[in-house]
Structures are given as C-alpha cells and as structure tokens.
Amino acid sequence: SETTGAHTKITVSETTRAVLANPKATAADIYNSLSPADQQTIKQYQQRLIDARPEFEKLVNDVAAKFGSTPGTFEARDPNTHYFGPVKTLDRIAEKAVQDYKGDLSQVTDVQRMTFVIDDPAKGLAIYEEVQKADSPTGLIDRMRNPTSAGYRDVIFKPTLANGHKVEVQVNTKS
C-alpha cells in the first residue's frame, strides 16, 4: 500500500483478482484477500474520515440552518430534513476501492455521507451553491434539472475536508 497525503492506494494482488473472478465473492471476501498492510491502510483511511465527522457536521448544519432543514432519519425521509448515513464498513470500502477505483481509496468518497431531503427541486442546486461558499466541491451530478427516465431527481457533490478527504452530500426529493 502507498499513502501520499489524502491519496491512499492499496495493492490489488493476484489473490484479490482471483477472489474478484468469483461471482459469489462478497465484500468481506475481497477485504480478507488483501494483505494485512492494506487492511490497516483501509482502517486508517476510515478512521481519518470518522475523525473529520465534526467538521462535516458543522458544514452541513450551517447549510441546513439557512434552508430550514431539521435533522431527520433515512426511514422517514421527510421533506426539509437531513440525515447522516452510517460510516461505510471496511469491507465495503475495500470492495468499492478494488472494483471501481483500481485500489485508489481517495476515490471512495462516501465513507462519510449525508442527505438533504427537499420538497422543491430548486433547493437542490441552491444547497450546492451554499456549500460552494465554504468549499469547492467536486463531482457535481445534477439530476434536478435532468431527472432520470424514471423521474428520479437528486444532486450529488463532494466537499473536501481540512484533512484533504472528500465526503459525499446528496440532495434528494422525497419521491
């Protein structure tokens, strides 16, 4: 494994490739196929994001207050609420890094994530613009103006925290 600032890379070994070739392989199988050093690298990456949670919460709560959003839950998904998702597990971080990003942990940006639920699609980009005042988020996906064929609308973007790691913010309509 290799660590350079916020960019951390794990090695996708032949053992891991063999696990990936099995269509029944689980995230745990992928994680367990990694070297102990790479497993430790993933634990450290996850911990740095856990440690940065207060900064993420402050950013979100400052924006939420400007839009009248109150804390809610994933289960309720009430309009004008926001909630934090659970921290992504070590198994899922490994799976996503290996399968989607060739071992580059810095691309797994949803280890810490949160969602705003809104009732008015116009608020989606307004929330993004408000976050831009405090940060220069990357990776904007705008399906508010361009919903999916099924009518799904959201905005997703990735603010960067002081430690250099990215987190994920989603803004969804209730439906």
Side-chain angles (χ1 to χ4, degrees), residues 80-102:
N80 301 312
T81 62
H82 60 280
Y83 59 90
F84 288 87
V87 173
K88 190 171 283 298
T89 65
L90 297 172
D91 292 349
R92 282 288 296 130
I93 294 168
E95 178 183 45
K96 198 166 186 180
V98 168
Q99 289 185 329
D100 298 344
Y101 303 115
K102 298 179 183 171

Side-chain angles (χ1 to χ4, degrees), residues 43-174:
K43 288 177 189 173
Q44 291 168 347
Y45 182 73
Q46 181 197 52
Q47 188 60 54
R48 286 192 301 270
L49 281 151
I50 290 168
D51 293 346
R53 176 77 175 248
E55 177 189 356
F56 187 30
E57 287 180 359
K58 180 177 179 346
L59 172 67
V60 167
N61 290 331
D62 289 351
V63 171
K66 292 180 180 173
F67 287 90
S69 178
T70 57
T73 64
F74 173 78
E75 294 77 19
R77 296 193 44 79
D78 293 322
N80 301 312
T81 62
H82 60 280
Y83 59 90
F84 288 87
V87 173
K88 190 171 283 298
T89 65
L90 297 172
D91 292 349
R92 282 288 296 130
I93 294 168
E95 178 183 45
K96 198 166 186 180
V98 168
Q99 289 185 329
D100 298 344
Y101 303 115
K102 298 179 183 171
D104 186 355
L105 291 171
S106 71
Q107 298 299 310
V108 183
T109 58
D110 60 349
V111 174
Q112 285 279 9
R113 58 200 183 273
M114 66 79 50
T115 300
F116 285 98
V117 182
I118 56 174
D119 56 359
D120 176 4
K123 283 184 184 175
L125 287 175
I127 289 171
Y128 170 75
E129 290 165 0
E130 190 63 34
V131 171
Q132 275 188 311
K133 292 177 184 177
D135 182 72
S136 296
T138 61
L140 175 65
I141 298 171
D142 176 7
R143 288 184 287 239
M144 288 294 175
R145 289 187 283 211
N146 304 303
T148 67
S149 59
Y152 181 75
R153 295 175 174 258
D154 70 352
V155 173
I156 300 173
F157 52 93
K158 301 165 185 182
T160 304
L161 302 177
N163 66 6
H165 294 298
K166 293 188 181 301
V167 291
E168 186 172 283
V169 175
Q170 297 182 13
V171 184
N172 300 331
T173 54
K174 175 147 174 77

Side-chain angles (χ1 to χ4, degrees), residues 17-34:
R17 285 193 223 328
V19 168
L20 290 172
N22 177 353
K24 293 183 180 184
T26 65
D29 294 334
I30 293 168
Y31 179 77
N32 291 328
S33 75
L34 297 171

